[in-house]
Amino acid sequence: MSLRDQLTDALYGLGWGTVKKLPEPVAVRLGRSIADLAWKQRGKGVQRLESNYARVVPDAGPERLAELSRAGMRSYLRYWMESFRLPAWSPERIKAGFDPKDVHYLTEGIASDQGVILALPHMANWDLAGAWVTTKLETPFTTVAERLKPETLYDRFVAYREGLGMEVLPHSGGTAFGTLARRLRDGGLVCLVAERDLSSSGVEVEFFGETTRMPAGPALLAQQTGALLLPVTLWYDDSPVMQGRVHPPVEVPETGSRAEKTSVMTQALADAFATGIADHPEDWHMLQRLWLKDLDPAGKPPAPEKGTS
């Protein structure tokens, strides 16, 4: 393991080991201070965040974009502070920490035993939403995690999410799709972060007026298993309680090839995500390149960034 990898792993270990012991007001102030410092330094992540917000809020001038990126960094660090502290939260705190709207789409889907796929973008705190599902709804689910480097960091994330009641499958290795399909055929729940896939297997969609690629997995799983496909968006307000919305189901088209159906369904997911992001852009934590225009001239996607969630 390189020195940089050792340092990265140690910093995350310090977060999970130390931040969760802090009083909540102290953790909130710490997160905000770190966010403001990172924002003032205007590193690549902050610049990319601001560039992405320029697509979401095309009429925003430089001053508005700067305000958005500062709020976005504060939201991002709130996610990290909460995530470091989640393992120490009581079941009551988790249940009270999330207030999703239109959750009946999810509860009715779970009760139907047809299987449910929740697809969401990188908004607010998807780990808290997952912990709420396993705690409040008492429903376990399966998800997929990108293999991070160093491997010890990936192991930390897996242990953390499994500790919240999730079954975590590695993204690489080729077996995740089959396992997810089996869970859904058994009437289970699958949750996938699904607005970024710059690989050649991603499905091209229009997103805020430009083209990007999103994963085909949610749409393909819904087609192959008959599971309900539900978009979800999340956001913060001024309270300690995270907000969210379960959007209406994405239906499988009655006609067309598998590829055509997948394209239509993935575009419907993109449209639902765009609705939530446009309403709460500062809670969309996209500090990476997303649109195809932002790739290098050879059209190659950038390497995954370390420590992304």
Side-chain angles (χ1 to χ4, degrees):
M1 185 189 302
S2 69
L3 179 60
R4 180 179 177 180
D5 286 348
Q6 291 180 42
L7 180 59
T8 299
D9 183 61
L11 288 173
Y12 280 95
L14 181 66
W16 271 298
T18 302
V19 173
K20 70 180 180 182
K21 299 176 183 178
L22 296 175
E24 189 158 343
V26 175
V28 170
R29 289 196 299 270
L30 176 61
R32 180 162 290 198
S33 296
I34 295 171
D36 288 349
L37 178 60
W39 177 77
K40 289 176 181 176
Q41 292 178 339
R42 293 197 57 80
K44 289 183 178 180
V46 173
Q47 293 179 48
R48 178 56 56 192
L49 183 67
E50 209 163 283
S51 174
N52 290 338
Y53 286 159
R55 262 73 171 238
V56 177
V57 190
D59 296 332
E63 185 174 339
R64 172 60 176 149
L65 287 175
E67 291 174 353
L68 274 175
S69 65
R70 185 178 189 183
M73 290 304 296
R74 287 183 170 185
S75 176
Y76 186 48
L77 263 294
R78 176 173 171 175
Y79 158 75
W80 279 112
M81 292 296 111
E82 285 181 349
S83 294
F84 288 143
R85 293 173 54 76
L86 261 178
W89 281 15
S90 68
E92 290 72 25
R93 177 70 177 85
I94 292 173
K95 292 175 184 178
F98 181 37
D99 182 24
K101 311 300 185 289
D102 297 327
V103 74
H104 64 91
Y105 289 121
L106 172 57
T107 54
E108 290 167 4
I110 292 171
S112 73
D113 290 328
Q114 72 178 102
V116 178
I117 306 158
L118 295 179
L120 61 161
H122 290 80
M123 292 188 75
N125 191 339
W126 43 98
D127 288 325
L128 172 55
W132 184 88
V133 168
T134 60
T135 306
K136 175 75 172 182
L137 302 186
E138 298 182 342
T139 302
F141 65 87
T142 304
T143 188
V144 175
E146 179 185 356
R147 280 199 174 277
L148 301 172
K149 291 183 179 181
E151 190 74 14
T152 51
L153 179 57
Y154 170 77
D155 292 340
R156 286 187 190 274
F157 270 97
V158 170
Y160 156 64
R161 287 175 171 146
E162 287 180 342
L164 298 175
M166 312 174 193
E167 179 189 23
V168 183
L169 306 176
H171 185 271
S172 58
T175 61
F177 188 91
T179 301
L180 294 174
R182 287 194 295 274
R183 299 291 183 269
L184 292 168
R185 291 191 182 102
D186 290 338
L189 176 64
V190 164
C191 299
L192 301 170
V193 180
E195 94 276 34
R196 186 176 188 267
D197 182 358
L198 300 182
S199 71
S200 58
S201 61
V203 179
E204 289 196 2
V205 296
E206 289 300 305
F207 195 53
F208 292 104
E210 295 187 29
T211 304
T212 186
R213 297 191 192 106
M214 294 188 179
L220 288 172
L221 284 167
Q223 291 175 60
Q224 292 194 17
T225 67
L228 197 67
L229 176 55
L230 299 174
V232 177
T233 52
L234 310 171
W235 66 93
Y236 292 125
D237 57 17
D238 293 330
S239 77
V241 179
M242 183 176 71
Q243 306 299 313
R245 183 174 304 282
V246 182
H247 296 257
V250 172
E251 304 290 345
V252 178
E254 295 183 0
T255 61
S257 65
R258 184 173 70 170
E260 290 168 339
K261 291 178 180 179
T262 300
S263 178
V264 170
M265 295 173 72
T266 306
Q267 183 63 61
L269 277 181
D271 293 342
F273 295 164
T275 297
I277 292 169
D279 287 342
H280 306 279
E282 68 278 4
D283 293 314
W284 184 43
H285 307 154
M286 185 50 62
L287 281 73
Q288 299 171 293
R289 285 176 279 188
L290 181 73
W291 283 274
L292 300 189
K293 283 185 178 180
D294 292 335
L295 304 187
D296 68 28
K300 296 179 182 178
E305 295 177 17
K306 294 184 179 182
T308 56
S309 49

